[in-house]
Amino acid sequence: MTLKDLARELGVSTATISNAFNRPDQLSPKLREHILTEARRLGYSGPDARARSLRTGRSRIIAVILAESLTYSLNDAVSSELLSGIAEVLDTRGHTLLLLSGRQNAASVPGASSIADGFIIYGLMPSLKLFSDLPPERPLVAVDFDIEDHATVHVDNEPACYAIARHALRVPTRRPAVINLRLTEQPCNGRIDDDQALLSAERTITRARLAGFQRAFVEAGIDPAEVPMWNIEENTFEVCTPVIEEILDLPDAERPDLLLCMSDRIALTVVTLAEQRGLRIPEDLRLTGFDGIAEGQYRAPRLTTIRQDSTEKGRIAARMILGMEPAESRVMATEMMIGDTCP
Amino acid sequence: MTLKDLARELGVSTATISNAFNRPDQLSPKLREHILTEARRLGYSGPDARARSLRTGRSRIIAVILAESLTYSLNDAVSSELLSGIAEVLDTRGHTLLLLSGRQNAASVPGASSIADGFIIYGLMPSLKLFSDLPPERPLVAVDFDIEDHATVHVDNEPACYAIARHALRVPTRRPAVINLRLTEQPCNGRIDDDQALLSAERTITRARLAGFQRAFVEAGIDPAEVPMWNIEENTFEVCTPVIEEILDLPDAERPDLLLCMSDRIALTVVTLAEQRGLRIPEDLRLTGFDGIAEGQYRAPRLTTIRQDSTEKGRIAARMILGMEPAESRVMATEMMIGDTCP
DNA sequence: AGGGTGGACTGGAACGATTTAGTTAGCAGC
DNA sequence: GCTGCTAACTAAATCGTTCCAGTCCACCCT
């Protein structure tokens, strides 16, 4: 049952049917009513979205392309919040959300995605060539990384990390350490030995956060090169666990007494494993996180962390895509939250 | 730059261009190579998905329609797991995921969604008329509720709840209570007074879970009508909090010593608020959850709960939609996990 | 009565691909 | 030299809408 069938059935033109569904002012209310009830009776459920999108060139679909796998992204608090901010704005404007991962079968992305009216890209894409495959005339906003000639949304990673490290280092600290998130070029889940060689040039966020920490170290009279660093490959409890066990199970004399973590998930894993080992927080171990996810604020000890409003980040990206605000490069402020893990 | 432009530019037919992209065996490798490189040079990024989906009738998009708002669904562990299971399967088969909420502007759903090749519907939809608006010939799978003439995926709610309640009631219990999730017809966040009148006829899952609890009560010689019940409207910390505070702040003589909760989120909120009040778990208060979300298994006390594999539920729904397994009514087994909150 | 106006509706050309039913050329087999 | 076959490519119909450019008619004004 197509629009044309319905038109023939009712003895009117296809244009009139189309108008009945899309532009009520273009036909008499009586006829419109007639058309709509007949349509329902004959089982015509409105203009086909496929044909419509071809003809109008718009689908009311916005694609979000995520650097990580969808499985990871959907279970990660930060990306979920981002998505929910995006969804919120799209919903109010009658748009819908197409979820794509840039990771696995990157090949399928350009094909399927060209149906979307605009693109929000989250996180650094392994295959940068992907961008050139996207229809160049449609809007594109990058979130949490930089890309030439396109709007981006960020938080102020460096100053935020400087601030929280400074806060942490007010208290005399014997053995500070840093747990990075995806800092290295090559996958590396554990201690980072070769300080420079492994630093990824592309992970601008991680580098900015580390730079903030290091600025605070220098200011506190600590040589950053002396601060031990670990790296974590994926922001999940399972992946964090072995690395953090390695750290917590060091002999007392070597175990850090301050852990600057690059995410709340890492920090929460530290809390969990420290509790299991009877380590007291903050007496035996102080730690800070990053993100400000809800889970870190419910139960004691509440994380000392940097809260970034990922939901708002998503809203902004969505508004930029929909042209509700200028698509420019934008840096959002963060907020330090002093919890129990590093008072 | 369209396929037709490219064809004219290269002096071949549109069919040949189309074949170059879709059916390599239909033309000589040499010509195909030529076409692909020229396409890239001239900025043609492959066949337009909109035109293609109109012509072929398939978009390689599967729509997931969620009963709750997207904001809620994306932040809820259970629906996120479901989505990630769906995404996992779709991804491996080159399909993508369109996220729709049946809640807000249900009007936009039929319009936008008719682009999808199939539909997965999660949770009871407030407006059942929605189904009649979906193109009837495309496959549809319902998850966690029943709908006539369509495949469904469920877990065995009643037996699972019977089993866990039976486990909990082995220990002599003075004042058991139940915290329901969305049981009532009318919104009600708090104590349920009028036992029968408010029970929603549509919330089949909640009713099945409650029935399981009640069967165990009867078996333990407890009159279910004497067991106090509360209701929670939305499975979030914020919405749970006031209700659970009301329960925990009852005078000692009235405060339940066993709480059968219909979700882990509710149970975790109980744990959090009980800790704040210095109540010991399980000595002062025993409790059980439902779902088996990861967050409930990391930190002590680990929840005693029913684990349902929501990820697998999603995988099954997706496989049914893609025709990888028969689309029938399917009930999945659950697993009781004895944690610390009700040993 | 004639001209002007505007509301209601229609015809038909796009939109950008896919696909069926060919056509052509080249070559092997006898 | 003729037939038959295959590989390589093409012409044109089609998918289901939207929307521009009209047509038609009723009504109002002078």
Side-chain angles (χ1 to χ4, degrees), chain B residues 10 77 82 87 103 124 167 188 196 265 268 299 316 328:
Chain B
L10 300 188
L82 179 88
R103 197 177 200 179
L124 178 78
H167 166 79
C188 154
Q196 297 301 337
R265 173 57 54 209
L268 282 168
R299 294 178 61 184
I316 292 173
E328 58 196 15

Side-chain angles (χ1 to χ4, degrees), chain A residues 215-244:
Chain A
R215 180 150 65 97
F217 283 138
V218 171
E219 203 178 283
I222 300 170
D223 177 4
E226 297 296 309
V227 175
M229 299 207 300
W230 280 264
N231 188 57
I232 283 190
E233 273 303 308
E234 191 183 72
N235 198 34
T236 59
F237 183 84
E238 287 72 20
V239 173
C240 290
T241 295
V243 177
I244 291 166

